[in-house]
Amino acid sequence: MKNDNSFSGGGKAWLYLLPAFLFLGVFMIYPLIDVFIYSFEEGYNFASQTSFGTGGYNYSYVLHDPYFLQAVKNTFLLVLITVPVSTGLALLISVALSSVKPLRDLFQTIYFLPYVTNTLAVGLVFMVLFKKTAYSDGLVNLLIHWFGGSSVDFIDGPYWAKMTVLCLYTIWVVMPFKILILTSALASVNQNYYRAAQVDGTSKLRIFTRITLPMISPMLFYLVITGFIGAFKAYSDAVALFGTDLNAAGMNTIVGYVYDMLYGSSGGYPSYASAAAILLFAIVLTITCINLLISRKHVHYI
């Protein structure tokens, strides 16, 4: 009788999980398999559901397409710059907020405002700050003039200037969420560890590196993983700053390339878009696995 009850309980658990499995299967697993199949169908026509044949030509075309290579370069630069910088700045701000207890809630609200603001609205603000017009060189160029420098066209000018604006914009957008998570993580650290360290006369730097960082390392790891994934999916940030023709601006991303192959002016090629999407999936999966391997040594779970 006991075994029947345990079996019944296990059956109920699987029954409760069935809606989630169905949702994942229909909206995640099936589309991934479908895209994988499309990526090998050469000359696929979505309207007639026909193709010329199957093979690896789509991957060869995408990997030799200069627009895709430029998008890969832009995306990797965006990831390598914005993820560590935004995480580091968020950690410093969170530590500072934790030490200012009377006004902590107010500052948390102020720092969180960019996260709930529309992405395109923030992009318009950045354009006002950086874009040169017939009437003004922008606020940032005005500050550069004050320090004796020459004006720079950050929106339509050289590549490094546009990438600088895109990185600053991305950091500004993602940092509020990281501040909120890290502030909560710092508040959850057991204060007894700090009291014991103070009794032993431990320096603040050593307390931070030996107590604070190990205790919040799971949250840091979570932010790094989600930061990498989010940065690899970047598209709306670039559109908000440089418009929809990102190839002309030289600031396209991998997701933008996939979108252009489907719906852009050069669109109508679902096979090429599927191949690029699978390559993006492989890149993100590889980097996530590397981070998981690194986390085994540096992340401390309690």
Side-chain angles (χ1 to χ4, degrees), residues 36-44 50-55 58 271:
F36 186 76
I37 295 173
Y38 284 156
S39 68
F40 287 98
E41 294 184 341
E42 299 175 1
Y44 177 77
T50 59
S51 62
F52 301 145
T54 57
N58 296 325
S271 296

Side-chain angles (χ1 to χ4, degrees), residues 5-40:
N5 290 334
S6 61
F7 176 79
S8 177
K12 287 182 179 180
W14 285 107
L15 186 62
Y16 294 147
L17 290 173
L18 183 60
F21 283 136
L22 290 175
F23 180 84
L24 292 174
V26 172
F27 293 102
M28 294 188 66
I29 298 176
Y30 169 72
L32 180 60
I33 296 174
D34 212 26
V35 169
F36 186 76
I37 295 173
Y38 284 156
S39 68
F40 287 98

Side-chain angles (χ1 to χ4, degrees), residues 7-8 15 57 87 94 131 154 188 211 257:
F7 176 79
S8 177
L15 186 62
Y57 174 77
T87 306
S94 299
K131 187 175 179 61
F154 288 97
S188 65
I211 298 177
Y257 179 86

Side-chain angles (χ1 to χ4, degrees), residues 76-91 171 175 178 223-224 227-228 231:
F76 268 93
L77 282 175
L78 193 66
V79 169
L80 293 176
I81 294 173
T82 61
V83 174
V85 171
S86 62
T87 306
L89 287 176
L91 179 59
I171 291 170
M175 200 164 58
K178 296 185 177 184
L223 292 177
V224 169
F228 272 114

